[in-house]
Amino acid sequence: MDIGTLYVVATPIGNLGDISQRALETLRAADAIACEDTRHTRHLLDHFGIRAPAFALHQHNEREAAEKVIALLAAGKRVALVSDAGTPGISDPGAKAVAAVRAAGYPVVPLPGPSAASVALSAAGLADERFLFAGFLPAKVGARGTAIAELAVVPAALVFYEAPHRVEETVADLAARLEPARTLVIARELTKHFEQIAVMPLPEGPAWLAADANRRRGEFVLIVSGPPPREGLDAETERVLKALLAELPTKQAAKLAAEITDQPKNALYQRALEIKGG
Ligand code: SAM
C-alpha cells in the first residue's frame, strides 16, 4: 500500500465472506477509513479485527470530508474509502471525493468487489449483450413515467435498484409502460440467507410480488431485458436506403445508409436486395 494514496474499496453486499483478500489487507494497512456511515462499517471492521480510525464521508458532507481526505494524503497517509455496502460511487457517495482527490493530484486506486447490479446480472441469464445501469427510478409518479419512457427505447437490458416499500409500484409501472415481450428479473437479498432470483415475463411481475409478502421484503435489483427486435426498418431508414439505392450500387447504398441511420449494415443490405428484387 502506497503512502498519499486513496484506495476505493468495495465491501460485501450481505455475505461477509465476499470481502476480498486485497480489501482486508488494504483496510488493515490504512491510516484512516472514510465511511458512508461509521457505525455501519464498524461492524464490518470489528468482524475482521480492523482497528484503523474511521470518519464519515456521506452525501451531506462529501465536499468537506474530501478536504479531510486530501489533508491526510498530503501528510503521507493511506486512506481507504468505503460505502455501507458494495462499490462506492455506484448509487452511493464517493464520486465527488474521488474527483477532488484526483484534482489535488493524488493517486486513486480501486479495489474491485461486489456491486448488487453486477451480482444480479451474473445470475440473470439474459441474452442481452448490453446493459444500462439506471439506479433508483424517481419516487414521484410523473418523473418515474418520464424516466421509464426515456429508457424504453434504449437497446439494452435495464438494471434498477429499488427499496422494498416502492418495489410494487415500480414493477407495476415498468409492466404498464414497457413491451410485454420483455423479461423481468427480480433479484432480492443477494448473497444473503433469503436470496431469491426470479425470472418471468414482465407482465407477470405485479402478480408475482402480490402472491407472497416475503417476496416484497429486503433489498432489490430489478432487471428488464432489452426491447424486442423491431419488425423491419423504420420509415426514415427505409426512405434513406431507397434514396441511396436510386443512385448507387446495392452494397455501397447499404453501407452508406448504415452509416447515416446507425442501423446494422447486414439488415440494410438484406433489405436493399429485397427492394432491388422488386
Ligand atoms: N453501492 C452499492 C452497490 O455497489 O451495489 C449500492 C448502494 S444503494 C444505496 C443500495 C441498493 O442496492 C439497495 O436499495 C438495493 O436496491 C441494492 N442492493 C444492495 N445490496 C443488495 C442485495 N444484497 N440484494 C439486492 N439488492 C441489493
Side-chain angles (χ1 to χ4, degrees), residues 10-19 40 44 83-87 92 113-120 161 187-193 195 219 221:
T11 57
I13 57 166
N15 189 327
L16 293 186
D18 292 332
I19 191 113
H40 186 102
L44 176 83
S83 61
D84 282 354
T87 303
D92 261 346
S115 183
S118 58
V119 173
Y161 283 169
R188 51 179 287 271
E189 294 293 88
L190 292 164
T191 77
K192 301 188 208 175
H193 185 66
E195 177 178 89
E219 299 194 277
V221 179

Side-chain angles (χ1 to χ4, degrees), residues 226-248:
R230 272 192 250 137
E231 293 286 323
L233 303 176
D234 61 63
E236 177 61 10
T237 306
E238 188 87 11
R239 192 186 65 75
V240 170
L241 183 61
K242 279 186 178 154
L244 292 170
L245 270 175
E247 305 294 330
L248 297 168

Side-chain angles (χ1 to χ4, degrees), residues 256-267:
L256 210 52
E259 274 166 29
I260 294 168
T261 62
D262 207 20
Q263 299 292 320
K265 202 162 62 188
N266 279 351

Side-chain angles (χ1 to χ4, degrees), residues 77-100:
K77 305 291 183 198
R78 292 160 289 210
V79 182
L81 168 68
V82 300
S83 61
D84 282 354
T87 303
I90 299 184
S91 290
D92 261 346
K96 283 188 194 133
V98 164

Side-chain angles (χ1 to χ4, degrees), residues 135-223:
F136 290 95
L137 281 165
K140 293 207 172 112
V141 177
R144 190 169 60 220
T146 308
I148 296 174
E150 274 171 19
L151 293 167
V153 293
V154 175
L158 305 173
V159 182
F160 303 98
Y161 283 169
E162 197 45 283
H165 63 277
R166 230 177 258 138
V167 70
E168 280 182 288
E169 257 180 68
T170 297
V171 166
D173 226 359
L174 291 169
R177 291 174 191 274
L178 299 176
E179 295 95 335
R182 297 174 82 155
T183 297
L184 172 68
V185 180
I186 300 181
R188 51 179 287 271
E189 294 293 88
L190 292 164
T191 77
K192 301 188 208 175
H193 185 66
F194 292 110
E195 177 178 89
Q196 189 173 28
I197 301 162
V199 182
M200 65 203 79
L202 178 56
E204 291 175 17
W208 188 88
L209 285 171
D212 180 349
N214 287 324
R215 294 179 179 176
R216 306 190 293 272
R217 297 207 167 102
E219 299 194 277
F220 289 85
V221 179
L222 304 172
I223 308 179

